[in-house]
């Protein structure tokens, strides 16, 4: 979501300057690539790039193609074959061994359903969204419909001229239900048409209970990732917004009142970092009873075990499923010592948990590809 928000901001700035812009989107990958389907980059007529579609090897040529697309006011599909070590276009011999399809769409600000308008609709609410992008792999010279529909559980925004609209709404609803992007080939007016039906989850909401100095690098790193951070503390002298980044929300709250102020979804994670045993013990049963996906607690294993035992003595027990989301001590074992290193360890563990990964070295992965396949084919 951070990339989308950055692109929206860059587009608005370009509009204020009266500059044209185009959106480049990776819509299909065969084999390996640095970025997967859904990677985006905004390109302005003066060459400003926001976002990325590769590790840097495709951006220069994409800029040239985008300037052409803006001049012609016509979307184009560009193929990059990184299997070819002699490819003069890529020219870096990266050996990614993949074929990458990039759709470049000039943005018409006067059209209400343009790609940036749809991205703004995605970013406007904290919910799962689906973007539908249509293109033709069979005939790159054909008209490329482009990014044309946004679907959420509570509605649909689509271009008036979108082909096969009803069928695509059904496919988008299925993607919402399965929470898995889909690549599909459609028959349209005797010619095949390809659809990238992309699931976009909301940003991670990081709730840190405790406003000590060791939370500051955590918030800074979360901000770099585009996560939405909220700091909660019952001490007025600590719960001050000026101590944290501008995008961080700071709440003064007692533990029993916290959930009255926060909405929880499956991208909401909690960290207990109060350095206050009683406050943490008051919060822990509240979090575990609400089926959060991740609850990390600062401190040694001995603290966790003692706390759970005291809660059990009070008649408060938890199921194995509830306990499985409790991570204490928090973080991956990277030898972290300083607050900044601990923050890196914790952020990495949260990312691994949300991605369903173990946080092990990539070198230990025997799979031929680094990225797991994010898009199903139908």
């Amino acid at each position: 979501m951070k990339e989308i928000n950055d692109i929206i901001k860059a587009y608005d700035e370009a509009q204020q300057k009266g500059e044209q812009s185009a959106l480049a989107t990776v819509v299909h990958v065969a084999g390996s690539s640095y970025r997967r389907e859904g990677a985006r980059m905004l390109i302005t007529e003066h060459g400003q790039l926001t976002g990325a579609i590769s590790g840097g090897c495709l951006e220069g040529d994409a800029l040239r193609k985008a300037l052409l697309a803006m001049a012609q006011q016509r979307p184009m599909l560009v193929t990059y074959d990184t299997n070819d070590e002699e490819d003069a276009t890529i020219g870096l011999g990266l050996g990614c061994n993949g074929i990458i399809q990039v759709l470049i769409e000039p943005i018409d600000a006067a059209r209400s359903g343009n790609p940036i308008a749809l991205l703004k609709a995605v970013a406007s609410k904290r919910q799962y969204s689906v973007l539908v992008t249509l293109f033709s792999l069979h005939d790159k010279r054909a008209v490329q419909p482009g990014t044309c529909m946004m679907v959420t559980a509570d509605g649909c925004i689509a271009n008036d001229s979108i082909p096969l609209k009803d069928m695509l709404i059904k496919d988008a609803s299925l993607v919402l239900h399965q929470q898995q992007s889909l690549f599909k080939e459609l028959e349209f007016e005797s010619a095949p048409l390809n659809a990238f039906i992309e699931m976009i989850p909301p940003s991670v909401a990081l709730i840190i209970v405790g406003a000590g100095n060791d939370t500051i690098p955590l918030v800074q790193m979360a901000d770099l990732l585009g996560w939405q951070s909220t700091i909660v503390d019952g001490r007025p002298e600590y719960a001050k917004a000026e101590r944290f980044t501008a995008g961080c929300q700071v709440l003064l709250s007692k533990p029993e009142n916290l959930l009255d102020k926060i909405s929880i979804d499956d991208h909401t994670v909690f960290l207990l970092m109060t350095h206050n045993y009683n406050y943490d013990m008051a919060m822990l049963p509240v979090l575990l009873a609400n089926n959060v996906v991740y609850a990390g607690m600062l401190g040694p294993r001995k603290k966790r075990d003692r706390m759970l035992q005291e809660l059990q003595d009070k008649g408060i027990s938890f199921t194995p499923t509830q306990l499985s989301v409790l991570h204490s001590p928090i973080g991956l074992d990277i030898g972290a010592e300083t607050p900044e290193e601990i923050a890196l360890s914790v952020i990495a563990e949260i990312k691994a948990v949300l991605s369903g990964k173990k946080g092990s070295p990539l070198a230990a992965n025997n799979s031929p590809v680094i990225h797991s396949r994010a898009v199903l084919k139908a």
Side-chain angles (χ1 to χ4, degrees):
M1 187 62 76
K2 182 181 188 299
E3 189 167 68
I4 290 176
N5 288 329
D6 288 346
I7 284 171
I8 291 171
K9 180 181 178 182
Y11 172 78
D12 288 341
E13 291 174 352
Q15 282 292 104
Q16 291 174 2
K17 298 175 183 176
E19 297 180 17
Q20 292 188 71
S21 55
L23 182 68
T25 305
V26 177
V27 292
H28 187 261
V29 174
S32 299
S33 67
Y34 185 82
R35 298 294 307 273
R36 304 300 298 178
E37 294 93 341
R40 291 180 173 84
M41 180 174 70
L42 187 80
I43 305 162
T44 71
E45 63 178 287
H46 290 160
Q48 178 179 332
L49 307 179
T50 303
I53 56 172
S54 76
C57 54
L58 307 182
E59 276 70 5
D61 185 71
L63 169 59
R64 292 187 287 271
K65 296 293 196 304
L67 293 175
L68 178 60
M70 283 184 260
Q72 297 178 342
Q73 283 298 296
R74 176 186 173 93
M76 65 170 63
L77 187 68
V78 184
T79 300
Y80 296 101
D81 187 351
T82 61
N83 290 297
D84 186 359
E85 294 284 348
E86 303 300 324
D87 193 323
T89 298
I90 297 170
L92 295 179
L94 292 181
C96 290
N97 298 319
I99 300 174
I100 305 157
Q101 307 289 345
V102 178
L103 181 68
I104 300 176
E105 304 172 81
I107 308 301
D108 180 1
R111 184 163 61 88
S112 60
N114 69 63
I116 298 296
L118 296 178
L119 289 180
K120 286 184 176 182
V122 168
S124 65
K125 295 181 180 180
R126 184 175 176 78
Q127 60 184 337
Y128 282 90
S129 304
V130 173
L131 274 183
V132 177
T133 303
L134 298 178
F135 55 98
S136 175
L137 286 176
H138 299 270
D139 185 2
K140 293 197 296 181
R141 296 183 179 181
V143 175
Q144 306 289 340
T147 309
C148 54
M149 179 188 291
M150 189 278 292
V151 178
T152 63
D154 57 5
C156 170
I157 300 174
N159 293 340
D160 294 334
S161 58
I162 179 173
L164 305 171
K165 179 178 178 180
D166 291 341
M167 178 187 298
L168 288 169
I169 289 176
K170 290 181 180 178
D171 289 333
S173 298
L174 178 63
V175 166
L176 270 178
H177 176 70
Q178 296 182 339
Q179 296 190 4
Q180 178 75 63
S181 298
L182 177 68
F183 178 78
K184 187 173 185 180
E185 187 171 289
L186 309 168
E187 287 296 330
F188 177 64
E189 295 180 350
S190 314
L193 198 60
N194 302 100
F196 173 39
I197 308 172
E198 178 189 6
M199 163 62 66
I200 302 179
S203 300
V204 175
L206 175 63
I207 316 299
I208 305 176
V209 185
N213 289 340
D214 55 351
T215 66
I216 294 175
L218 264 167
V219 172
Q220 292 170 339
M221 289 186 190
D223 190 54
L224 284 173
L225 295 171
W227 294 5
Q228 300 171 356
S229 298
T230 300
I231 298 288
V232 185
D233 204 300
R235 301 166 293 180
E237 65 274 20
Y238 283 86
K240 294 180 178 180
E242 58 266 26
R243 298 180 59 235
F244 302 96
T245 59
C248 177
Q249 182 183 19
V250 179
L251 300 177
L252 180 65
S253 176
K254 295 180 180 179
E256 60 269 21
N257 300 329
L258 172 58
L259 296 191
D260 295 335
K261 303 179 180 182
I262 292 174
S263 298
I264 299 176
D265 58 33
D266 58 5
H267 271 64
T268 304
V269 299
F270 288 81
L271 292 175
L272 299 180
M273 300 182 63
T274 66
H275 300 275
N276 184 309
Y277 185 89
N278 291 329
Y279 198 117
D280 284 354
M281 191 161 73
M283 278 301 309
L284 187 59
V286 174
L287 297 182
L288 298 186
N290 278 274
N291 299 315
V292 301
V293 295
Y294 179 99
M297 185 166 62
L298 193 67
R301 193 181 309 275
K302 183 187 298 185
K303 171 189 172 182
R304 180 200 65 184
D305 293 343
R306 176 188 167 193
M307 195 174 288
L308 291 174
Q309 185 60 55
E310 288 186 20
L311 289 170
Q312 186 174 3
D313 292 343
K314 294 179 181 180
I316 303 173
S317 58
F318 307 101
T319 67
T321 299
Q322 288 174 316
L323 289 175
S324 68
V325 306
L326 176 59
H327 297 259
S328 181
I330 51 174
L332 298 182
D333 185 5
I334 59 173
E337 294 289 343
T338 67
E340 291 78 13
E341 292 170 348
I342 292 170
L344 175 63
S345 166
V346 172
I347 290 287
E349 181 181 62
I350 293 172
K351 173 59 181 173
V353 169
L354 293 178
S355 301
K357 300 294 185 179
K358 295 181 179 179
S360 54
L362 284 172
N365 183 1
N366 294 322
S367 172
V369 295
I370 293 175
H371 302 285
S372 58
R373 186 67 178 172
V375 182
L376 299 176
K377 291 187 177 182

